[in-house]
Amino acid sequence: MSERPAPILLDSLDAAVDLLLSRIRGPLKVGAPLGLGKPHRLLNALYARVENDPSRPLHLCTALSLDPPDGGKGLEARFVKPFVERHFGADFPRLAYVQALRRNALPAHVEIEEFYLQSGAMLGSLPVQRRYASLNYTHVARALADRGLNLIVQKVARSPDGSRLSLSCNTDLTLDTVDAHEARGLPRPMLIAEIDPELPWLGGSATVDASFFDVIVHPPGPYPKLFGLPRQPVTDADYAIGFHASTLVRDGGTLQIGIGALADALCHALVLRHVDNKGYRAVLRALGSAAADDTSLAPFAQGLYGCSEMINEGFRRLVECGVIKRRVVDDAAAMRRINAGGASAHDLAMLEQQGEFLHGAFYLGSPEFYEWLRNLPPDVRRGIGMKRVGEVNELYGGDEALERLQRRDARFFNTCMMATVLGAAVSDALEDGRVVSGVGGQYNFVAMGHALPDARSVLMLRACREASGRVTSNFVWNYGHTTIPRHLRDVYISEYGIADIRGRSDEDCVIAMAGIADARFQQGLLDTAKQAGKLRGDFMSPAKCARNTPMHLQAALQPFRHNGALPDYPLGSDFTPVEQRLAKALAWLKANTATRGGKLRTVWRALSAKALDREAMDRMALGSPRGLGERLEAKLVSLALHQTAAK
């Protein structure tokens, strides 16, 4: 293969747009990475140029177009807006096309097609819902070749001498997309890299020669902050799910996790298992887990190998605490000997020098997480390998025999919104077809859980949800849309326990799944199953299932909340201490004003509330309220702070 010419170097975003518009005639078919690797400023410059020019149609294929919260109205705005300005920075470049999508105001000649969405953010966007592409993550490169891209843009990090670039946060699809075009004999898309000095440098397979790109643009500073994903508080239900899930993880095994509070809770449980095994088992006993006395749940001696499409906050903590430490090498013969306990001196030296303990296809997290990546010690940095998504999310994207050896005792943990009692999962969309997020890699990991002989696929969900004052079960008899079919059922976990339903009959599935549902909804599920002929008529729910209530769970975990074993923010918080108090108070207020009656009762109680937390009131700009509206808001916040402080 002939060497590629040196890239064109630019220091202006406008110059980069001028160049691409002069090189590409006709419609622009653009690909951009998901999440952090999306060059916001370059995309905004391009969008500004074509927004009012129908002669230059733009079709953008991407995913996870990250956008900070806008703050809403009333008390929410008082809390969110100062946080957003501090956390994201006043100069954070919001994507212009996202703002147009939110307003349903995208120009007719501009098409935005995404395969994964910021969760729940685009339910009301008609262009997004119409042009959503439902794709397994590993099928995206193929789909992009179907569309015949003529431009790929990506944010990158640059080595000090400028000869190498790191795809850093997004090794997932760029290389595969270029290869997919070339394999079909399609022209290679024009590739433009935007240098971001804020982006952490990761080497190894994340690096490419500068000549991989046709254009490298290094715009002048100041450079906006990287998008920081705010860390959320972990509830009692989240913790219970995380601790139940942790009992399935084997020392020396492989770990994949998703994102969100359930994953945070699981990571905290694994850390506690390793650094405070006695305290860990005490939590399990309080939850009534039969695994509390399992001798295999000792601190991690061999440690785990992390292999997950997304590297996030939880993996940082697991690496720091010595849970993620089992190294693998890209040598099947060596891995075979290592797994059998017969590693040679050469194998051990290879593990030490070349071994990696964490593989991912993209990363996303908090500002603290990015700072950790920037300042990794060399030996830790060498242990992290960023890979193509096809290598991480399935067994067939690279060397299958090698990956089977590396991924021993794999546990694939993902979340879902709902589950049927016959074992199907609802993870990405509502019954009417509106997309909440996307399939992403979930199907791949579920399928891999069945393809590997000693692996398990674990789907985690909260037993119920509350909206507008109404509690609804997340375990249902049937649903008009499913993400994971019932024939791939394996393990489900709620705050009330584990349902192992792999290979089980329908009747056994119903009994197991109803057994981890909220007690208020169990009988309805069982009655429906009996009516459908899926459950014997004389079946009675075990007495222990009556304890599946939030009150019982809260009482069980309350001592561990008080002694600090189960903190609200186990992986750290982006909120200040006063904001943490306010977040809890505003959540209480939202729950207690969800209905008309609840709102009236709460307002009545608030009228006699006293402002005892001056710092919190000042943070909400309600320390000296003016007018009736502000005085009422101050009273409501004071009541909520009092109620949650008492808890």
Side-chain angles (χ1 to χ4, degrees):
M1 182 181 295
S2 61
E3 289 189 9
R4 289 187 49 76
I8 298 172
L9 305 180
L10 301 172
D11 59 7
S12 163
L13 294 169
D14 285 334
V17 174
D18 286 339
L19 180 63
L20 74 88
L21 290 176
S22 68
R23 293 279 186 90
I24 300 173
R25 302 298 181 184
L28 294 161
K29 299 179 180 180
V30 185
L34 63 77
L36 204 62
K38 201 179 275 77
H40 283 212
R41 293 193 293 173
L42 178 57
L43 284 170
N44 280 347
L46 176 59
Y47 183 80
R49 197 73 65 86
V50 304
E51 181 182 15
N52 298 312
D53 184 1
S55 70
R56 297 310 304 259
L58 169 64
H59 180 182
L60 174 63
C61 300
T62 187
L64 198 57
S65 295
L66 296 168
D67 190 45
D70 59 13
K73 300 178 180 179
L75 290 176
E76 181 184 1
R78 289 178 180 275
F79 178 80
V80 171
K81 287 181 178 178
F83 170 76
V84 167
E85 185 169 335
R86 183 187 79 243
H87 184 74
F88 294 97
D91 59 348
F92 185 85
R94 290 178 180 267
L95 287 163
Y97 71 80
V98 171
Q99 310 315 308
L101 288 170
R102 289 187 183 281
R103 301 191 309 270
N104 289 314
L106 199 69
H109 65 285
V110 177
E111 178 182 353
I112 310 296
E113 190 176 21
E114 301 204 55
F115 69 88
Y116 199 89
L117 309 175
Q118 203 166 342
S119 184
M122 291 295 184
L123 285 171
S125 173
L126 299 179
V128 168
Q129 294 297 329
R130 286 199 299 264
R131 301 309 300 161
Y132 166 75
S134 185
L135 295 167
N136 284 341
Y137 204 169
T138 51
H139 296 166
V140 173
R142 179 182 69 192
L144 295 178
D146 290 341
R147 287 147 177 78
L149 300 186
N150 52 27
L151 174 64
I152 296 175
V153 297
Q154 177 157 359
K155 187 157 58 175
V156 300
R158 185 169 66 179
S159 63
D161 65 3
S163 65
R164 302 282 286 171
L165 299 177
S166 173
L167 303 182
S168 187
C169 55
N170 284 86
T171 54
D172 49 345
L173 289 170
T174 304
L175 299 169
D176 280 344
T177 300
V178 172
D179 289 350
H181 279 70
E182 293 180 348
R184 296 194 191 183
L186 298 171
R188 186 180 191 267
M190 183 180 184
L191 276 84
I192 300 182
E194 179 187 327
I195 303 293
D196 187 345
E198 293 290 310
L199 201 62
W201 171 272
L202 290 175
S205 52
T207 61
V208 295
D209 288 329
S211 61
F212 176 73
F213 288 92
D214 300 289
V215 179
I216 298 174
V217 56
H218 190 172
Y223 299 99
K225 292 182 178 181
L226 298 177
F227 186 97
L229 202 64
R231 289 166 285 190
Q232 300 300 310
V234 176
T235 67
D236 289 340
D238 300 337
Y239 267 127
I241 293 168
F243 273 78
H244 286 308
S246 71
T247 65
L248 302 179
V249 177
R250 294 185 180 180
D251 189 14
T254 302
L255 180 68
Q256 179 266 327
I257 54 175
I259 190 170
L262 299 187
D264 292 354
L266 168 58
C267 290
H268 181 70
L270 292 173
V271 168
L272 201 65
R273 169 176 160 182
H274 187 59
V275 304
D276 181 9
N277 200 256
K278 182 179 178 181
Y280 168 72
R281 293 177 186 275
V283 176
L284 290 179
R285 288 191 188 94
L287 292 171
S289 172
D293 297 315
D294 186 340
T295 57
S296 71
L297 298 182
F300 293 94
Q302 301 175 65
L304 304 176
Y305 156 57
C307 186
S308 188
E309 68 179 26
M310 176 178 171
I311 298 177
N312 57 26
E313 212 79 38
F315 280 113
R316 173 180 69 88
R317 182 60 59 84
L318 293 172
V319 170
E320 289 177 329
C321 294
V323 175
I324 295 284
K325 62 183 179 182
R326 180 173 74 84
R327 294 178 182 262
V328 301
V329 292
D330 290 341
D331 184 317
M335 285 304 308
R336 196 171 290 110
R337 290 189 295 270
I338 292 166
N339 287 352
S344 67
H346 176 73
D347 297 335
L348 295 177
M350 189 188 306
L351 275 177
E352 179 66 25
Q353 297 165 14
Q354 304 174 26
E356 295 175 330
F357 48 73
L358 181 57
H359 285 157
F362 76 98
Y363 64 74
L364 183 63
S366 69
E368 185 180 332
F369 173 69
Y370 303 140
E371 192 64 20
W372 176 73
L373 287 174
R374 291 187 194 99
N375 298 307
L376 288 172
D379 61 323
V380 177
R381 189 181 302 277
R382 285 196 303 271
I384 300 175
M386 299 301 292
K387 302 286 187 178
R388 303 181 187 213
V389 74
E391 293 182 53
V392 173
N393 283 31
E394 62 183 2
L395 296 171
Y396 320 115
D399 186 336
E400 181 181 346
L402 173 65
E403 289 169 0
R404 285 180 175 275
L405 290 165
Q406 292 175 337
R407 299 174 192 187
R408 69 187 192 209
D409 287 324
R411 297 294 180 266
F412 303 110
F413 292 99
N414 290 285
T415 61
C416 58
M417 299 186 297
M418 288 172 279
T420 72
V421 290
L422 292 176
V426 181
S427 307
D428 65 316
L430 303 180
E431 195 161 24
D432 61 8
R434 283 181 297 154
V435 182
V436 176
S437 54
V439 177
Q442 185 170 113
Y443 176 85
N444 292 121
F445 287 114
V446 170
M448 192 160 31
H450 288 271
L452 290 168
D454 52 6
R456 301 305 297 267
S457 161
V458 185
L459 293 179
M460 306 181 292
L461 74 161
R462 300 173 185 90
C464 52
R465 63 189 183 279
E466 184 173 354
S468 302
R470 180 169 174 255
V471 178
T472 307
S473 176
N474 285 330
F475 289 93
V476 297
W477 175 250
N478 203 5
Y479 198 71
H481 162 82
T482 57
T483 313
I484 303 301
R486 60 191 271 196
H487 72 272
L488 289 180
R489 56 198 181 198
D490 197 345
V491 177
Y492 282 90
I493 299 179
S494 82
E495 59 266 42
Y496 302 120
I498 300 173
D500 185 343
I501 57 175
R502 176 186 280 194
R504 305 283 292 276
S505 68
D506 279 359
E507 182 173 52
D508 290 342
C509 285
V510 169
I511 293 171
M513 295 288 272
I516 62 170
D518 188 287
R520 291 167 287 182
F521 303 101
Q522 290 171 10
Q523 194 58 49
L525 294 169
L526 297 175
D527 289 344
T528 302
K530 291 175 182 179
Q531 292 168 10
K534 291 292 185 179
L535 182 63
R536 61 185 184 273
D538 62 349
F539 177 81
M540 298 288 290
S541 184
K544 64 178 182 179
C545 292
R547 298 197 297 268
N548 292 5
T549 67
M551 290 181 62
H552 184 271
L553 183 64
Q554 182 184 23
L557 295 184
Q558 190 173 41
F560 306 100
R561 288 293 201 176
H562 286 170
N563 69 16
L566 302 180
D568 288 340
Y569 297 87
L571 303 183
S573 177
D574 303 290
F575 298 130
T576 64
V578 67
E579 286 172 341
Q580 292 179 35
R581 298 198 300 275
L582 282 165
K584 190 179 295 186
L586 294 176
W588 179 91
L589 195 60
K590 182 178 180 180
N592 284 271
T593 57
T595 64
R596 179 178 175 81
K599 185 178 296 185
L600 291 172
R601 287 190 295 272
T602 303
V603 169
W604 179 255
R605 292 177 63 191
L607 294 178
S608 58
K610 296 181 179 180
L612 302 177
D613 190 337
R614 184 73 187 184
E615 184 184 22
M617 301 308 292
D618 287 343
R619 167 59 181 80
M620 293 290 286
L622 290 171
S624 300
R626 299 177 180 178
L628 181 60
E630 284 195 3
R631 286 198 292 272
L632 179 57
E633 285 183 330
K635 290 285 187 180
L636 288 167
V637 172
S638 296
L639 172 65
L641 285 165
H642 175 73
Q643 291 297 311
T644 50
K647 275 191 174 183

PDB file of all heavy atoms in Angstrom, residues 397-416:
ATOM      1  N   GLY A 397     -15.349 -10.059  15.609  1.00  0.00           N
ATOM      2  CA  GLY A 397     -14.777  -8.888  14.969  1.00  0.00           C
ATOM      3  C   GLY A 397     -13.268  -8.948  14.864  1.00  0.00           C
ATOM      4  O   GLY A 397     -12.642  -8.073  14.272  1.00  0.00           O
ATOM      5  N   GLY A 398     -12.655  -9.979  15.449  1.00  0.00           N
ATOM      6  CA  GLY A 398     -11.201 -10.097  15.418  1.00  0.00           C
ATOM      7  C   GLY A 398     -10.805 -11.555  15.460  1.00  0.00           C
ATOM      8  O   GLY A 398     -11.253 -12.376  14.655  1.00  0.00           O
ATOM      9  N   ASP A 399      -9.979 -11.910  16.441  1.00  0.00           N
ATOM     10  CA  ASP A 399      -9.511 -13.282  16.628  1.00  0.00           C
ATOM     11  C   ASP A 399     -10.421 -13.963  17.645  1.00  0.00           C
ATOM     12  O   ASP A 399     -10.250 -13.814  18.852  1.00  0.00           O
ATOM     13  CB  ASP A 399      -8.058 -13.252  17.111  1.00  0.00           C
ATOM     14  CG  ASP A 399      -7.427 -14.628  17.195  1.00  0.00           C
ATOM     15  OD1 ASP A 399      -8.166 -15.612  17.328  1.00  0.00           O
ATOM     16  OD2 ASP A 399      -6.185 -14.707  17.129  1.00  0.00           O
ATOM     17  N   GLU A 400     -11.389 -14.732  17.149  1.00  0.00           N
ATOM     18  CA  GLU A 400     -12.387 -15.326  18.044  1.00  0.00           C
ATOM     19  C   GLU A 400     -11.761 -16.267  19.069  1.00  0.00           C
ATOM     20  O   GLU A 400     -12.118 -16.236  20.255  1.00  0.00           O
ATOM     21  CB  GLU A 400     -13.450 -16.075  17.239  1.00  0.00           C
ATOM     22  CG  GLU A 400     -14.513 -16.695  18.125  1.00  0.00           C
ATOM     23  CD  GLU A 400     -15.575 -17.459  17.348  1.00  0.00           C
ATOM     24  OE1 GLU A 400     -15.642 -17.303  16.119  1.00  0.00           O
ATOM     25  OE2 GLU A 400     -16.345 -18.211  17.988  1.00  0.00           O
ATOM     26  N   ALA A 401     -10.829 -17.103  18.633  1.00  0.00           N
ATOM     27  CA  ALA A 401     -10.209 -18.048  19.567  1.00  0.00           C
ATOM     28  C   ALA A 401      -9.499 -17.309  20.695  1.00  0.00           C
ATOM     29  O   ALA A 401      -9.592 -17.698  21.871  1.00  0.00           O
ATOM     30  CB  ALA A 401      -9.238 -18.953  18.814  1.00  0.00           C
ATOM     31  N   LEU A 402      -8.806 -16.225  20.356  1.00  0.00           N
ATOM     32  CA  LEU A 402      -8.109 -15.436  21.367  1.00  0.00           C
ATOM     33  C   LEU A 402      -9.092 -14.780  22.319  1.00  0.00           C
ATOM     34  O   LEU A 402      -8.906 -14.817  23.549  1.00  0.00           O
ATOM     35  CB  LEU A 402      -7.251 -14.370  20.681  1.00  0.00           C
ATOM     36  CG  LEU A 402      -6.586 -13.344  21.603  1.00  0.00           C
ATOM     37  CD1 LEU A 402      -5.563 -14.020  22.507  1.00  0.00           C
ATOM     38  CD2 LEU A 402      -5.942 -12.224  20.797  1.00  0.00           C
ATOM     39  N   GLU A 403     -10.141 -14.180  21.773  1.00  0.00           N
ATOM     40  CA  GLU A 403     -11.096 -13.471  22.622  1.00  0.00           C
ATOM     41  C   GLU A 403     -11.828 -14.423  23.562  1.00  0.00           C
ATOM     42  O   GLU A 403     -12.151 -14.069  24.704  1.00  0.00           O
ATOM     43  CB  GLU A 403     -12.071 -12.692  21.742  1.00  0.00           C
ATOM     44  CG  GLU A 403     -11.399 -11.499  21.059  1.00  0.00           C
ATOM     45  CD  GLU A 403     -12.245 -10.856  19.985  1.00  0.00           C
ATOM     46  OE1 GLU A 403     -13.371 -11.324  19.747  1.00  0.00           O
ATOM     47  OE2 GLU A 403     -11.768  -9.878  19.373  1.00  0.00           O
ATOM     48  N   ARG A 404     -12.084 -15.638  23.121  1.00  0.00           N
ATOM     49  CA  ARG A 404     -12.704 -16.621  24.012  1.00  0.00           C
ATOM     50  C   ARG A 404     -11.789 -16.936  25.194  1.00  0.00           C
ATOM     51  O   ARG A 404     -12.258 -17.127  26.329  1.00  0.00           O
ATOM     52  CB  ARG A 404     -13.036 -17.890  23.237  1.00  0.00           C
ATOM     53  CG  ARG A 404     -14.251 -17.762  22.331  1.00  0.00           C
ATOM     54  CD  ARG A 404     -14.537 -19.049  21.569  1.00  0.00           C
ATOM     55  NE  ARG A 404     -15.773 -18.938  20.802  1.00  0.00           N
ATOM     56  CZ  ARG A 404     -16.986 -19.178  21.286  1.00  0.00           C
ATOM     57  NH1 ARG A 404     -17.117 -19.571  22.538  1.00  0.00           N
ATOM     58  NH2 ARG A 404     -18.051 -19.046  20.528  1.00  0.00           N
ATOM     59  N   LEU A 405     -10.496 -17.006  24.941  1.00  0.00           N
ATOM     60  CA  LEU A 405      -9.547 -17.290  26.016  1.00  0.00           C
ATOM     61  C   LEU A 405      -9.422 -16.108  26.968  1.00  0.00           C
ATOM     62  O   LEU A 405      -9.301 -16.286  28.186  1.00  0.00           O
ATOM     63  CB  LEU A 405      -8.178 -17.625  25.417  1.00  0.00           C
ATOM     64  CG  LEU A 405      -8.090 -18.965  24.680  1.00  0.00           C
ATOM     65  CD1 LEU A 405      -6.835 -19.026  23.829  1.00  0.00           C
ATOM     66  CD2 LEU A 405      -8.113 -20.126  25.681  1.00  0.00           C
ATOM     67  N   GLN A 406      -9.450 -14.905  26.436  1.00  0.00           N
ATOM     68  CA  GLN A 406      -9.324 -13.721  27.280  1.00  0.00           C
ATOM     69  C   GLN A 406     -10.560 -13.508  28.141  1.00  0.00           C
ATOM     70  O   GLN A 406     -10.449 -13.107  29.304  1.00  0.00           O
ATOM     71  CB  GLN A 406      -9.088 -12.485  26.407  1.00  0.00           C
ATOM     72  CG  GLN A 406      -7.741 -12.455  25.703  1.00  0.00           C
ATOM     73  CD  GLN A 406      -7.607 -11.279  24.756  1.00  0.00           C
ATOM     74  OE1 GLN A 406      -8.613 -10.730  24.287  1.00  0.00           O
ATOM     75  NE2 GLN A 406      -6.380 -10.873  24.457  1.00  0.00           N
ATOM     76  N   ARG A 407     -11.742 -13.804  27.593  1.00  0.00           N
ATOM     77  CA  ARG A 407     -13.005 -13.436  28.257  1.00  0.00           C
ATOM     78  C   ARG A 407     -13.579 -14.586  29.081  1.00  0.00           C
ATOM     79  O   ARG A 407     -14.760 -14.908  29.009  1.00  0.00           O
ATOM     80  CB  ARG A 407     -14.015 -12.964  27.210  1.00  0.00           C
ATOM     81  CG  ARG A 407     -13.516 -11.741  26.469  1.00  0.00           C
ATOM     82  CD  ARG A 407     -14.390 -11.315  25.321  1.00  0.00           C
ATOM     83  NE  ARG A 407     -13.696 -10.325  24.511  1.00  0.00           N
ATOM     84  CZ  ARG A 407     -14.228  -9.657  23.502  1.00  0.00           C
ATOM     85  NH1 ARG A 407     -15.490  -9.867  23.151  1.00  0.00           N
ATOM     86  NH2 ARG A 407     -13.508  -8.781  22.826  1.00  0.00           N
ATOM     87  N   ARG A 408     -12.742 -15.190  29.884  1.00  0.00           N
ATOM     88  CA  ARG A 408     -13.218 -16.303  30.704  1.00  0.00           C
ATOM     89  C   ARG A 408     -14.134 -15.774  31.813  1.00  0.00           C
ATOM     90  O   ARG A 408     -13.998 -14.651  32.286  1.00  0.00           O
ATOM     91  CB  ARG A 408     -12.031 -17.061  31.295  1.00  0.00           C
ATOM     92  CG  ARG A 408     -11.264 -16.296  32.343  1.00  0.00           C
ATOM     93  CD  ARG A 408     -10.003 -17.032  32.776  1.00  0.00           C
ATOM     94  NE  ARG A 408      -9.428 -16.428  33.971  1.00  0.00           N
ATOM     95  CZ  ARG A 408      -8.144 -16.450  34.260  1.00  0.00           C
ATOM     96  NH1 ARG A 408      -7.286 -17.023  33.441  1.00  0.00           N
ATOM     97  NH2 ARG A 408      -7.713 -15.890  35.390  1.00  0.00           N
ATOM     98  N   ASP A 409     -15.083 -16.613  32.207  1.00  0.00           N
ATOM     99  CA  ASP A 409     -16.029 -16.276  33.290  1.00  0.00           C
ATOM    100  C   ASP A 409     -16.576 -14.860  33.132  1.00  0.00           C
ATOM    101  O   ASP A 409     -16.610 -14.066  34.085  1.00  0.00           O
ATOM    102  CB  ASP A 409     -15.374 -16.416  34.663  1.00  0.00           C
ATOM    103  CG  ASP A 409     -15.165 -17.862  35.065  1.00  0.00           C
ATOM    104  OD1 ASP A 409     -16.027 -18.697  34.725  1.00  0.00           O
ATOM    105  OD2 ASP A 409     -14.138 -18.174  35.696  1.00  0.00           O
ATOM    106  N   ALA A 410     -17.020 -14.542  31.935  1.00  0.00           N
ATOM    107  CA  ALA A 410     -17.492 -13.183  31.648  1.00  0.00           C
ATOM    108  C   ALA A 410     -18.863 -12.934  32.261  1.00  0.00           C
ATOM    109  O   ALA A 410     -19.739 -13.807  32.246  1.00  0.00           O
ATOM    110  CB  ALA A 410     -17.534 -12.946  30.144  1.00  0.00           C
ATOM    111  N   ARG A 411     -19.037 -11.719  32.768  1.00  0.00           N
ATOM    112  CA  ARG A 411     -20.337 -11.275  33.261  1.00  0.00           C
ATOM    113  C   ARG A 411     -20.650  -9.955  32.558  1.00  0.00           C
ATOM    114  O   ARG A 411     -19.933  -8.967  32.711  1.00  0.00           O
ATOM    115  CB  ARG A 411     -20.319 -11.067  34.780  1.00  0.00           C
ATOM    116  CG  ARG A 411     -20.038 -12.344  35.565  1.00  0.00           C
ATOM    117  CD  ARG A 411     -21.148 -13.367  35.417  1.00  0.00           C
ATOM    118  NE  ARG A 411     -20.900 -14.589  36.167  1.00  0.00           N
ATOM    119  CZ  ARG A 411     -20.317 -15.681  35.660  1.00  0.00           C
ATOM    120  NH1 ARG A 411     -19.902 -15.675  34.390  1.00  0.00           N
ATOM    121  NH2 ARG A 411     -20.141 -16.754  36.390  1.00  0.00           N
ATOM    122  N   PHE A 412     -21.736  -9.969  31.799  1.00  0.00           N
ATOM    123  CA  PHE A 412     -22.135  -8.802  31.023  1.00  0.00           C
ATOM    124  C   PHE A 412     -23.341  -8.160  31.699  1.00  0.00           C
ATOM    125  O   PHE A 412     -24.453  -8.703  31.658  1.00  0.00           O
ATOM    126  CB  PHE A 412     -22.472  -9.206  29.588  1.00  0.00           C
ATOM    127  CG  PHE A 412     -21.338  -9.910  28.878  1.00  0.00           C
ATOM    128  CD1 PHE A 412     -21.415 -11.254  28.580  1.00  0.00           C
ATOM    129  CD2 PHE A 412     -20.196  -9.222  28.529  1.00  0.00           C
ATOM    130  CE1 PHE A 412     -20.371 -11.907  27.928  1.00  0.00           C
ATOM    131  CE2 PHE A 412     -19.145  -9.857  27.880  1.00  0.00           C
ATOM    132  CZ  PHE A 412     -19.232 -11.206  27.575  1.00  0.00           C
ATOM    133  N   PHE A 413     -23.117  -7.009  32.344  1.00  0.00           N
ATOM    134  CA  PHE A 413     -24.165  -6.327  33.102  1.00  0.00           C
ATOM    135  C   PHE A 413     -24.689  -5.131  32.305  1.00  0.00           C
ATOM    136  O   PHE A 413     -23.930  -4.226  31.955  1.00  0.00           O
ATOM    137  CB  PHE A 413     -23.618  -5.828  34.442  1.00  0.00           C
ATOM    138  CG  PHE A 413     -23.254  -6.918  35.401  1.00  0.00           C
ATOM    139  CD1 PHE A 413     -21.934  -7.328  35.533  1.00  0.00           C
ATOM    140  CD2 PHE A 413     -24.221  -7.541  36.175  1.00  0.00           C
ATOM    141  CE1 PHE A 413     -21.582  -8.328  36.429  1.00  0.00           C
ATOM    142  CE2 PHE A 413     -23.879  -8.554  37.073  1.00  0.00           C
ATOM    143  CZ  PHE A 413     -22.558  -8.950  37.197  1.00  0.00           C
ATOM    144  N   ASN A 414     -25.997  -5.139  32.052  1.00  0.00           N
ATOM    145  CA  ASN A 414     -26.634  -4.016  31.371  1.00  0.00           C
ATOM    146  C   ASN A 414     -27.968  -3.722  32.052  1.00  0.00           C
ATOM    147  O   ASN A 414     -28.469  -4.531  32.840  1.00  0.00           O
ATOM    148  CB  ASN A 414     -26.837  -4.341  29.892  1.00  0.00           C
ATOM    149  CG  ASN A 414     -25.518  -4.392  29.133  1.00  0.00           C
ATOM    150  OD1 ASN A 414     -24.923  -3.365  28.853  1.00  0.00           O
ATOM    151  ND2 ASN A 414     -25.049  -5.588  28.828  1.00  0.00           N
ATOM    152  N   THR A 415     -28.544  -2.579  31.737  1.00  0.00           N
ATOM    153  CA  THR A 415     -29.818  -2.201  32.350  1.00  0.00           C
ATOM    154  C   THR A 415     -30.927  -2.222  31.316  1.00  0.00           C
ATOM    155  O   THR A 415     -30.690  -2.102  30.118  1.00  0.00           O
ATOM    156  CB  THR A 415     -29.734  -0.790  32.966  1.00  0.00           C
ATOM    157  OG1 THR A 415     -29.447   0.155  31.934  1.00  0.00           O
ATOM    158  CG2 THR A 415     -28.640  -0.719  34.015  1.00  0.00           C
ATOM    159  N   CYS A 416     -32.137  -2.376  31.808  1.00  0.00           N
ATOM    160  CA  CYS A 416     -33.303  -2.273  30.947  1.00  0.00           C
ATOM    161  C   CYS A 416     -34.384  -1.495  31.685  1.00  0.00           C
ATOM    162  O   CYS A 416     -34.321  -1.318  32.904  1.00  0.00           O
ATOM    163  CB  CYS A 416     -33.813  -3.649  30.514  1.00  0.00           C
ATOM    164  SG  CYS A 416     -34.272  -4.772  31.840  1.00  0.00           S
TER     165      CYS A 416
END
